[in-house]
Each structure stands twice: as C-alpha cells, then as structure tokens.
Amino acid sequence: MQIYKKIETEIGTFWGRDCIFLHKITFENGTNNLILDGEIDGNLCNPERLGGDVLYRLRFEGILALSMIELDSWDCECESSFDEILDSEWIRALGGKVSEKHRHFLLQTYDDVFEVVCETYTLAFSELPRNDFEEYR
C-alpha cells in the first residue's frame, strides 16, 4: 500500500493550493532533469514563515517517469503539497531502467500537479526580491 510522506525542507513543509506558485518549467533533454522555478508563500509553510514569499528552484534528476495534470482535474489525499510516495505502485509498474535508487514524488502547485519518478532532487531557496534573482531575467 502506498504511503504519502510529507517532505521536510529547510523552511518547513508546504500545504494548500496557494502555497507553491510555478513561474518556469525547464526539461533538460538528454539528462532527463526537470527544473521548476517559482515562489513559496511563507505563510503557508509549517511552521509558518512570516515575512513573505521565498523563491525556490526544484530540480528532479534522472527522471524515468513524469506526469503533469491540471490541479482541478486531480484528486488525491496527500500529506502536503510536496510528498514522497513510499511503496509506489508506479515504480513497481515501471520496467526498463528502474532501480532501487528511484523515488516517487508528488508536487502540488497552484495550477498543476507533478508526479515524478527520479533518482534524486535538490531544492534551493532565495530570499532576494524577484527582480534581483538572475534566473527570472
């Protein structure tokens, strides 16, 4: 049976439709990496992070499977807006290059939900104003 486990980050866990906004999606073909850039509403973190939004860059590396669905078309009982799915049915169903290194993640943003089976991820934050953050230029 699948288990949804909320991911603890350096700024807490994330909850709710309004918590994670996505501004840019980049897929690096050949490396099978997905990069998501956007903002997190600090007021919707647990513990609450007063002081406004935080910019993020989430990078999934070594992707074997990727799914994106519009949020209003999706229905799931998850633990947070960013979960790891343990004992994943999707990983068990995958053939090919799947290995014990692969993990299943679910990310719920304001508009879309991403499910990713990959080897690893990195999540970086920046508190700089958006106009000073080089990646948004």
Side-chain angles (χ1 to χ4, degrees), residues 1-2 10-11 29 34 36 43-44 47 51 62 64 66 71 74 78 84-86 89-90 111 134-136:
M1 185 167 125
Q2 294 191 136
E10 66 186 73
I11 65 168
N29 196 17
L34 175 69
L36 306 175
N43 297 315
L44 296 175
L64 283 184
L66 171 63
L71 180 67
W74 173 76
C78 52
E84 181 172 2
I85 302 173
L86 305 175
E89 295 170 7
W90 199 12
D111 291 314
E134 287 297 320
E135 297 303 321
Y136 288 98

Side-chain angles (χ1 to χ4, degrees), residues 64 90-100 102:
L64 283 184
W90 199 12
I91 289 178
R92 283 194 304 270
L94 289 173
K97 297 180 181 179
V98 71
S99 73
E100 291 184 16
H102 290 98

Side-chain angles (χ1 to χ4, degrees), residues 3-91:
I3 299 168
Y4 292 79
K5 178 183 172 192
K6 60 186 167 187
I7 294 179
E8 301 282 342
T9 74
E10 66 186 73
I11 65 168
T13 57
F14 312 130
W15 183 252
R17 177 179 187 144
D18 295 337
C19 187
I20 302 173
F21 287 88
L22 179 62
H23 298 297
K24 181 179 173 185
I25 301 170
T26 306
F27 185 77
E28 297 176 334
N29 196 17
T31 61
N32 291 345
N33 295 336
L34 175 69
I35 301 167
L36 306 175
D37 291 301
E39 297 175 46
I40 293 173
D41 183 338
N43 297 315
L44 296 175
C45 293
N46 186 12
E48 186 176 354
R49 182 180 175 86
L50 300 174
D53 295 344
V54 177
L55 297 173
Y56 74 88
R57 170 168 282 173
L58 177 56
R59 179 184 190 97
F60 294 103
E61 299 179 351
I63 293 174
L64 283 184
L66 171 63
S67 171
M68 184 182 95
I69 188 169
E70 193 275 329
L71 180 67
D72 293 329
S73 300
W74 173 76
D75 183 32
C76 180
E77 294 294 324
C78 52
E79 289 293 312
S80 73
S81 296
F82 186 32
D83 287 349
E84 181 172 2
I85 302 173
L86 305 175
D87 199 20
S88 166
E89 295 170 7
W90 199 12
I91 289 178

